[in-house]
Amino acid sequence: MTSFDTSPQLNVWRALLALAVVFVMLATTGWTALRHHRGSAPLQASISAWERGSIAGHELPAVNSSPTRLARFFASLTDAQRTSLADRYSLAVGNMNGAPVELRYRANRFALDDAREVERKRMHDKRLTPDGQREAGRRMHRFEDMMRPQRHILAFDPDGSGRAAEVFGDLTKAERISVVVPGVDTDLLTFQRTNRKYTAPVGMAESLYAAEREADSTTRTAVIAWADYTAPNGLGIDSATAMRAQSGAVRLNALVRGLPGGSPVSLFCHSYGSVLCGLAAPALPERVADIAVAGSPGMRVAKASQLGTSARVWAMRDADDWVQDVPYLEVGGLGHGEDPVSSAFGARVLSAWDAKGHAGYFEPGTESVANFAEIGVGAYHAVRCAHDAEACRAGLSDTASAERA
């Protein structure tokens, strides 16, 4: 804006117009995808069955009990009893923060098997359109792939477009835990990709896990590909507001509070995922040591200090990332606030050199994923800063040394 644009109302209307133009342009150039929701709610049915169930003549604890309470309950059971619950209430147990990690993996394999059979039948359902039958086939093959023995599915919900989370590494023995929080158009069918593998949550997490092992082979790490929230459908009105991020923030906090042990946790939040992480920040437990954002449209605050967290806040953006053209403001609920890589925001700004645009931050071999890996293993002294190295590294040496002692 020029110096004579002094009317606050005029500035507000221009800001709203700028937002509308940007989102319409993005939507008409292929960024918006149609999402088809399905009718049933199998997770809720499993939860309802759990609430009516029992084991050895005793009522089951409420599914919304604290993770500590649920952990004590499962610890009191025999192996056979735990397996029985995972089989009978697979979706409830597979998504239960506080249930043993290995039991959740087992329960989700049961749930995936059930969901696969549902889609197998839908593939031949004459009541569906050819497109509907093809989508059923894609979902069936996706569930089949997720059932492979080497995969560790921590959360799974087949309802609608679906949600999922997957673990790389040993979550129960990890000394450092990383969580990848993706952005728009994330669902069960985009949870992993063959082409452009590292733009999908599974590929992002795989790449980060490999980079962490390369950065420090002596530190046991685990990485979670966390697509366990209902992401916005393309860059439309949902992605311009915080509605999806607000509900996702509740789920992210529940995940972190239910993680086993007390190892430090680092969040790596991409695109709209950074909006979610910004809203989750005030309620995060102290074990969350870092919140790192990439390609962020904003975190719903004007300054990093307003996030209400003790975690270190990091930000990066590639020079070719189109998100820099999105207006960094918040007016009437539209927009997500200040640019996280700006000096005004006050995050530690990292280099994202050769990150390959908005979707390329986790591409193997890039400086962006190498920086994420150094944060993930706690090697803060090794990060590559973008410009102001003094501000980026302020107070890091002693902290990093203490955590790694």
Side-chain angles (χ1 to χ4, degrees):
M1 296 183 183
T2 59
S3 58
F4 56 83
D5 291 327
T6 56
S7 165
Q9 286 186 323
L10 179 62
N11 290 347
V12 167
W13 281 111
R14 285 185 172 178
L16 287 171
L17 178 61
L19 276 171
V21 169
V22 167
F23 285 116
V24 168
M25 287 177 63
L26 290 170
T28 57
T29 53
W31 285 102
T32 299
L34 182 63
R35 177 172 298 178
H36 299 281
H37 289 273
R38 303 169 75 247
S40 61
L43 174 56
Q44 185 54 53
S46 184
I47 290 173
S48 297
W50 170 280
E51 290 173 342
R52 299 189 302 270
S54 63
I55 190 79
H58 299 287
E59 290 185 356
L60 302 176
V63 291
N64 59 354
S65 300
S66 71
T68 302
R69 165 77 178 89
L70 290 169
R72 283 199 305 265
F73 164 73
F74 282 105
S76 72
L77 304 178
T78 66
D79 286 343
Q81 288 172 329
R82 284 190 286 268
T83 300
S84 174
L85 291 178
D87 188 11
R88 287 156 54 195
Y89 314 107
S90 57
L91 279 169
V93 174
N95 291 277
M96 192 175 290
N97 294 310
V101 168
E102 293 292 337
L103 189 68
R104 290 181 68 171
Y105 298 159
R106 185 184 185 97
N108 282 320
R109 277 193 289 273
F110 290 146
L112 281 159
D113 193 24
D114 291 340
R116 177 181 61 171
E117 290 307 309
V118 169
E119 299 301 337
R120 193 191 303 278
K121 293 176 182 177
R122 293 181 71 243
M123 287 172 61
H124 306 289
D125 188 339
K126 300 302 183 184
R127 294 172 297 179
L128 296 179
T129 64
D131 283 345
Q133 291 176 330
R134 281 191 290 270
E135 182 193 1
R138 292 178 64 201
R139 287 170 63 94
M140 189 274 288
H141 289 299
R142 174 53 41 80
F143 299 160
E144 199 166 58
D145 192 61
M146 291 171 70
M147 288 176 62
R148 287 186 291 123
Q150 65 268 39
R151 299 191 66 172
H152 301 120
I153 305 302
L154 186 68
F156 170 65
D157 181 1
D159 189 34
S161 55
R163 300 191 296 251
E166 182 171 1
V167 176
F168 298 87
D170 190 332
L171 193 56
T172 59
K173 295 181 180 178
E175 297 170 288
R176 304 275 311 194
I177 298 172
S178 298
V179 183
V180 174
V181 182
V184 300
D185 286 333
T186 299
D187 56 32
L188 283 171
L189 291 180
T190 60
F191 185 49
Q192 64 191 73
R193 292 190 177 102
T194 301
N195 298 321
R196 301 176 69 237
K197 173 179 178 179
Y198 302 107
T199 66
V202 169
M204 292 177 178
E206 281 185 308
S207 177
L208 179 58
Y209 182 55
E212 288 181 351
R213 286 182 294 170
E214 183 177 345
D216 183 357
S217 61
T218 65
T219 297
R220 293 192 302 271
T221 64
V223 179
I224 302 173
W226 189 79
D228 194 23
Y229 80 105
T230 303
N233 183 12
L235 295 186
I237 192 65
D238 274 357
S239 61
T241 66
M243 181 179 68
R244 300 292 191 187
Q246 287 169 339
S247 57
V250 174
R251 299 184 66 81
L252 180 61
N253 266 295
L255 167 85
V256 175
R257 293 183 181 279
L259 291 174
S263 301
V265 176
S266 298
L267 306 180
F268 298 94
C269 318
H270 176 244
S271 193
Y272 187 83
S274 65
V275 182
L276 189 161
C277 288
L279 291 175
L284 290 170
E286 289 188 3
R287 69 183 296 187
V288 176
D290 306 282
I291 302 174
V293 303
S296 174
M299 299 182 75
R300 306 295 294 187
V301 293
K303 296 179 181 294
S305 59
Q306 296 172 349
L307 288 170
T309 176
S310 59
R312 286 170 285 271
V313 181
W314 311 82
M316 67 169 68
R317 186 175 66 217
D318 180 61
D320 296 326
D321 191 336
W322 56 258
V323 82
Q324 64 190 308
D325 298 321
V326 173
Y328 282 97
L329 45 82
E330 190 277 321
V331 180
L334 287 174
H336 303 301
E338 183 61 73
D339 181 355
V341 302
S342 70
S343 57
F345 189 78
R348 301 174 186 272
V349 182
L350 298 167
S351 171
W353 187 79
D354 72 359
K356 307 182 189 305
H358 185 68
Y361 291 97
F362 291 85
E363 194 76 26
T366 57
E367 196 160 82
S368 49
V369 79
N371 268 329
F372 281 165
E374 301 291 5
I375 292 169
V377 300
Y380 303 113
H381 61 283
V383 299
R384 272 76 70 190
C385 300
H387 305 296
D388 188 351
E390 184 177 352
C392 173
R393 297 179 183 278
L396 286 181
S397 297
D398 291 341
T399 301
S401 298
E403 288 196 2
R404 295 171 62 80

